[in-house]
Amino acid sequence: MKIGAHTSIAGGVSNAVEEQLEYDGNCGQIFSHSPQVWQDPSIEESEAAAFRERSAEADVEPWVIHSSYLVNLCTPKDDLREKSIDSMQQEVEAADRLGVEYVNVHLGAHTGAGVEQGLDNAASALDELDVPEDVTVLVESDAGSGTKLGGEFDHLAGILERSDQDIGICLDTAHLFAAGYDLSTPDAVAETVDEFAEQVGLDALECLHLNDSKHACGTNKDEHAHLGEGEIGAEGIAAVVNHPNLRELPFVLETPTEDGRGFAWNVDRARELREDWS
């Protein structure tokens, strides 16, 4: 089972591998810089080499770089669009230097431009990127609040249809649930996966963010919970990690650190739910 957590690059990007091993993870996700400011990744080649070598030695892969929270591909504002494109270009180049397979991004918000125009804006922004051959941009599903796009499978399908890039999809279980896609029972998981397969296509699905939700289905509230401890629950999370069309994908945790439990507890929990099902 490919299961890991979002880890820190503080003190050097290779430290993210050591932190992942502390959690007993074997894949993972990082930020290349602080996600709340406009900042280019500052990773020396020696650091990148150490990260590549340590990941290979420990067999920790694949890795995902999560883009800045400021990126808004859907925006109708020219200045924000250019900053978003530049930020994403820096991210895919950092991924290439690090040997990281994926760069994950949210579509952002259309802020009144409308869904169709927002999707057009996002696709054309993605098409301006010069993505290295061994890197894939993943568009992440969203919780669906306000004018943010990505909360509906139609939005994800629309990006794939519009863009000339070879884009993949990352589904976040908490976001799906918040957006109204039920995952709380095996039947609900099967129905949601079937709907995704029909509207978007399973070939596009490359990764899952595995998170429980502190809020009910369809509330558009994005607050993550420990696996099996939230509104999705143990039965739903178990159905996700064991679904035949999902179980071979990498699962990346963005679960909280609270109640004396953190990523290590959730990595163990995911494996338990996989084994219990078997």
Side-chain angles (χ1 to χ4, degrees), residues 5-273:
H6 186 112
T7 50
S8 172
I9 68 167
V13 65
S14 63
N15 288 344
V17 185
E18 305 308 323
E19 183 181 347
Q20 197 66 249
L21 295 174
E22 291 176 12
Y23 303 143
D24 200 22
N26 57 13
C27 66
Q29 180 174 271
I30 58 172
F31 292 122
S32 68
H33 59 86
S34 172
Q36 299 180 5
V37 295
W38 293 114
Q39 180 181 346
D40 291 342
S42 179
I43 301 170
E44 299 292 336
E45 177 52 35
S46 59
E47 293 179 38
F51 176 85
R52 295 193 304 267
E53 291 165 9
R54 191 67 185 106
S55 293
E57 289 171 358
D59 195 23
V60 177
E61 58 84 26
W63 284 95
V64 181
I65 289 178
H66 195 299
S67 66
S68 168
Y69 293 140
L70 301 180
V71 168
N72 186 348
L73 301 176
C74 294
T75 183
K77 300 177 182 178
D78 290 341
D79 58 341
L80 179 53
R81 173 187 171 85
E82 291 308 312
K83 286 182 178 179
S84 297
I85 292 170
D86 179 66
S87 179
M88 284 298 295
Q89 185 63 49
Q90 297 296 325
E91 298 286 27
V92 296
E93 291 175 7
D96 192 43
R97 293 197 301 275
L98 292 167
V100 168
E101 190 169 343
Y102 300 116
V103 172
N104 184 77
V105 65
H106 293 268
L107 289 175
H110 65 70
T111 61
V115 171
E116 296 303 314
Q117 186 61 55
L119 292 174
D120 287 345
N121 293 346
S124 62
L126 289 167
D127 286 349
E128 290 199 30
L129 299 178
D130 182 10
V131 182
E133 183 178 356
D134 294 330
V135 177
T136 300
V137 174
L138 303 182
V139 171
E140 181 180 347
S141 62
D142 196 87
S145 60
T147 65
K148 290 181 180 178
L149 299 184
E152 298 179 20
F153 289 159
D154 280 350
H155 299 167
L156 303 179
I159 286 296
L160 296 181
E161 291 165 1
R162 285 168 168 81
S163 177
D164 294 328
Q165 296 278 15
D166 186 15
I167 295 167
I169 299 296
C170 173
L171 292 179
D172 184 308
T173 52
H175 295 173
L176 286 176
F177 195 70
Y181 295 98
D182 192 7
L183 297 170
S184 61
T185 67
D187 286 346
V189 169
E191 183 176 340
T192 294
V193 172
D194 286 348
E195 189 172 347
F196 177 86
E198 181 178 346
Q199 294 188 34
V200 185
L202 288 167
D203 288 348
L205 185 58
E206 300 281 353
C207 179
L208 283 100
H209 284 169
L210 188 65
N211 304 299
D212 210 325
S213 172
K214 290 186 177 181
H215 302 282
C217 185
T219 58
N220 302 124
K221 293 182 179 179
D222 178 17
E223 192 174 4
H224 299 175
H226 295 304
L227 299 184
E229 303 286 307
E231 295 294 323
I232 296 175
E235 187 180 28
I237 296 294
V240 169
V241 299
N242 286 286
H243 191 285
N245 290 322
L246 307 180
R247 60 180 287 123
E248 301 304 322
L249 295 170
F251 296 95
V252 175
L253 297 165
E254 298 172 325
T255 46
T257 298
E258 60 186 18
D259 304 324
R261 292 172 290 183
F263 285 136
W265 186 91
N266 283 282
V267 167
D268 286 344
R269 183 65 167 140
R271 290 196 172 108
E272 287 171 4
L273 292 170

